[in-house]
């Protein structure tokens, strides 16, 4: 999700008091591991794509959520995990949600029953890429995994549109200034983690082992070394936004026969957004990817690129380069299937290029807010080995992943007739990308 700050928040004195920094003394091991659950939206109706509203609804496919507990006594809630926004809030209005029945399936926070709730005078309107929420801020006890955060500022919605679940925000302040201490800030100042850093391991919709680890990494969930890349400054990011932007230096494909094609020496700021189902790439890159699928067809209304579903069974991957690190997304993970139709998990966007869930499922990513670094590795699953993230410049351990690279899948014989092999003219070496004037800098 892509929130924009809509209204300046008037900080209540109660909130200001909470922001006083305290010495960090980690309690316990300073690692807070929390399962991340994939929630599938009802099957989208791709055939009804004549209707613009339908198309918007379809983009709301799979979402990743965490369970937390709020209040005293504790009430269990399910919130969307969003690396694209900083605020945490509960109780969307289901009547005006885009998926009312889905919304109603989740419990709401009954604040009248909590003895730990403290009210404030602060309110805000939070505007997202899809939907918005008007919230009143309160101070509450929030429990996530083994961490119990006291006096956390959370919003309680009194109006919201097009949002079916509350949101657990873990981005830095998008406009550069904290409105108040966010959840990650409070976990650090209350000594629950040693620094403001977490790792994210999203898994496929059918794999229940996804997790977010605050203050730690799991070396049983990736291959090789974690590559450290700077998080771009707001001056280097589209719209001057302070987000988890990282420079992507190339894109490419690995063909079913194992050969690769790539466009290098790019410098495209990409926003890592767990709240986005699809990835959004600059138009020339989107076009180069779609050209690879010679059997596919773009729907001009939605920009969805439809491909034969058999393509999912082909060996091969969509490749993203970050300096020396390559993250390969297998075709099976990059192509989205609904009701027997298949679309590439990518749409064109020149203003805010985003690597959403279709990318994050293939990556193990450590977000280090204190040092403003992003660490990336190819995700895998070979057991569990938690290592704490400390504090200071080298807080994130350089431990290599314990997993080894799986063999490249080979094309199955029954797909031999699928014509998704090499595009007739190698799109990635062609003119589409060479003239691209994309570099870090406000769009
Ligand atoms: C919130 O969304 C509703 C419904 O789309 C819209 O009418 C309203 O203008 C939005 N509010 C803001 C502040 O964007």
């Amino acid at each position: 999700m892509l929130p924009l700050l809509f209204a300046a928040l008037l900080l209540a004195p109660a909130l200001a008091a909470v922001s006083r920094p305290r010495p960090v003394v980690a309690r316990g091991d300073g690692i807070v591991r929390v399962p991340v659950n994939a929630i599938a939206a009802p099957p989208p109706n791709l055939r009804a794509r004549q209707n613009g509203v339908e198309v918007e609804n379809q983009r709301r496919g799979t979402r990743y959520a965490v369970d937390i507990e709020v209040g005293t006594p504790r009430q269990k809630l399910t919130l969307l995990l969003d690396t694209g926004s900083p605020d945490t809030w509960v109780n969307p209005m289901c009547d005006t949600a885009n998926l009312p029945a889905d919304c109603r399936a989740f419990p709401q926070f009954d604040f009248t029953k909590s003895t730990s709730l403290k009210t404030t005078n602060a309110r805000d309107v939070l505007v997202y890429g899809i939907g918005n929420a008007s919230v009143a801020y309160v101070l509450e006890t929030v429990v996530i995994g083994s961490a119990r955060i006291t006096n956390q500022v959370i919003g309680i919605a009194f109006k919201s549109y097009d949002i079916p679940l509350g949101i657990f925000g873990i981005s830095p302040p998008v406009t550069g200034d904290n409105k108040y201490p966010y959840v990650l800030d409070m976990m650090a100042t209350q000594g629950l983690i040693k620094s403001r850093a977490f790792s994210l391991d999203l898994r496929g919709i059918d794999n229940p082992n996804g997790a977010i680890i605050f203050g730690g990494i799991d070396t049983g969930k990736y291959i090789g070394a974690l590559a450290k890349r700077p998080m771009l400054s707001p001056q280097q990011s589209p719209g001057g936004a302070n987000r988890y932007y990282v420079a992507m230096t190339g894109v490419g494909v690995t063909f079913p026969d194992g050969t690769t094609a790539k466009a290098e020496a790019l410098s495209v700021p990409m926003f890592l957004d767990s709240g986005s189902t699809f990835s959004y790439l600059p138009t020339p890159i989107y076009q180069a990817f779609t050209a690879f699928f010679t059997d596919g067809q773009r729907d001009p209304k939605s920009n969805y690129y439809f491909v034969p579903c058999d393509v999912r069974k082909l060996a091969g991957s969509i490749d993203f380069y970050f300096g020396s690190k390559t993250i390969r997304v297998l075709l099976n993970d990059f192509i989205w299937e609904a009701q027997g139709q298949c679309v590439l998990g990518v749409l064109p966007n020149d203003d805010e290029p985003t690597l959403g869930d279709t990318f994050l499922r293939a990556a193990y990513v450590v977000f280090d807010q204190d040092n403003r670094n992003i660490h990336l590795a190819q995700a895998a699953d070979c057991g569990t080995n938690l290592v704490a993230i400390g504090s200071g410049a080298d807080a994130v351990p350089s431990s290599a992943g314990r997993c080894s690279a799986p063999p490249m899948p080979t094309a199955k014989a029954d797909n031999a007739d699928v014509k998704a092999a090499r595009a007739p003219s190698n799109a990635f070496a062609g003119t589409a990308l060479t003239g691209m004037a994309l570099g870090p800098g406000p769009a």
Side-chain angles (χ1 to χ4, degrees):
M1 286 202 192
L2 319 174
L4 306 161
L5 192 66
F6 175 72
L9 173 73
L10 299 172
L11 278 177
L15 304 196
V18 184
S19 63
R20 217 179 315 114
R22 270 169 245 164
V24 174
V25 181
R27 302 203 296 257
D29 59 4
I31 303 176
V32 179
R33 184 185 180 282
V34 184
V36 174
N37 307 308
I39 297 179
N45 186 359
L46 292 174
R47 288 193 178 83
R49 62 185 186 273
Q50 295 79 3
N51 174 330
V53 176
E54 283 289 334
V55 169
E56 278 310 302
N57 275 317
Q58 289 153 21
R59 291 193 193 179
R60 297 162 193 181
T62 307
R63 282 297 166 82
Y64 289 90
V66 287
D67 288 342
I68 63 166
E69 292 171 306
V70 178
T72 311
R74 299 174 178 190
Q75 299 179 36
K76 192 178 146 185
L77 301 171
T78 298
L79 303 186
L80 290 174
L81 183 67
D82 191 12
T83 61
S85 64
D87 294 88
T88 293
W89 62 272
V90 301
N91 291 7
M93 305 288 117
C94 291
D95 288 350
T96 49
N98 48 316
L99 301 164
D102 270 37
C103 179
R104 289 190 195 99
F106 292 96
Q108 298 255 351
F109 177 52
D110 183 350
F111 51 85
T112 64
K113 294 214 168 81
S114 175
T115 56
S116 48
L117 181 135
K118 300 184 192 105
T119 57
T120 77
N121 296 322
R123 294 178 170 211
D124 203 358
V125 183
L126 310 171
V127 179
Y128 296 86
I130 298 170
N132 61 63
S134 303
V135 300
Y137 288 105
V138 301
L139 301 178
E140 254 298 11
T141 302
V142 172
V143 176
I144 176 155
S146 57
R148 181 171 169 273
I149 311 162
T150 53
N151 288 317
Q152 175 64 53
V153 177
I154 61 166
I156 298 180
F158 54 90
K159 212 162 45 168
S160 75
Y161 298 93
D162 294 335
I163 302 180
L165 275 180
I167 291 176
F168 192 86
I170 43 175
S171 86
V174 177
T175 54
D177 291 315
N178 269 50
K179 290 187 295 177
Y180 58 83
Y182 301 114
V183 172
L184 200 59
D185 303 319
M186 293 293 274
M187 287 176 86
T189 54
Q190 294 188 8
L192 301 162
I193 53 178
K194 295 190 186 95
S195 60
R196 293 179 304 163
F198 61 90
S199 51
L200 186 61
D201 175 32
L202 298 183
R203 296 269 139 192
I205 178 86
D206 43 8
N207 185 324
N209 297 326
I212 180 166
I213 304 172
F214 297 96
I217 60 175
D218 184 348
T219 64
K221 293 296 187 291
Y222 60 92
I223 297 166
L226 284 165
K228 179 161 92 176
R229 309 290 300 167
M231 185 177 145
L232 301 181
S233 70
Q235 293 72 34
Q236 296 169 309
S237 302
N242 183 32
R243 290 195 159 124
Y244 294 122
Y245 268 104
V246 64
M248 181 174 73
T249 57
V251 290
V253 293
T254 298
F255 295 100
D257 66 3
T259 58
T260 59
K262 61 179 161 178
E264 289 177 289
L266 306 179
S267 184
V268 187
M270 297 299 305
F271 167 31
L272 300 175
D273 187 11
S274 67
S276 179
T277 303
F278 276 59
S279 293
Y280 296 85
L281 294 170
T283 304
I285 298 179
Y286 164 81
Q287 286 169 343
F289 278 144
T290 57
F292 166 52
F293 297 91
T294 48
D295 264 2
Q297 200 180 7
R298 186 180 73 93
D299 174 60
K301 288 204 180 73
S302 62
N303 270 326
Y304 279 133
Y305 195 79
F306 287 80
V307 294
C309 286
D310 275 356
V311 173
R312 297 185 84 198
K313 297 185 213 151
L314 286 178
S317 60
I318 302 288
D319 306 334
F320 298 89
Y321 297 86
F322 304 87
S324 58
K325 180 60 78 176
T326 312
I327 305 292
R328 304 174 65 211
V329 185
L330 296 180
L331 294 180
N332 187 45
D333 288 332
F334 202 70
I335 293 170
W336 198 50
E337 180 167 4
Q339 296 181 341
Q341 296 208 47
C342 287
V343 292
L344 285 191
V346 58
L347 288 165
N349 185 322
D350 296 309
D351 299 328
E352 195 160 47
T354 301
L355 292 170
D357 298 337
T358 47
F359 168 83
L360 289 171
R361 276 198 278 278
Y364 192 87
V365 186
V366 185
F367 300 77
D368 179 356
Q369 228 186 77
D370 272 358
N371 293 302
R372 294 190 67 90
N373 286 318
I374 305 275
H375 302 247
L376 294 151
Q378 183 80 40
D381 189 356
C382 59
T384 298
N385 179 49
L386 299 183
V387 181
I389 296 174
S391 53
D394 297 316
V396 176
S398 54
S399 320
R402 291 184 163 191
C403 308
S404 47
M408 188 64 192
T410 48
K412 295 185 187 124
D414 63 347
N415 302 314
D417 58 337
V418 176
K419 294 194 289 290
R422 193 180 290 276
S425 60
N426 186 341
F428 282 88
T431 53
L433 289 169
T434 40
M436 199 162 54
L438 283 162

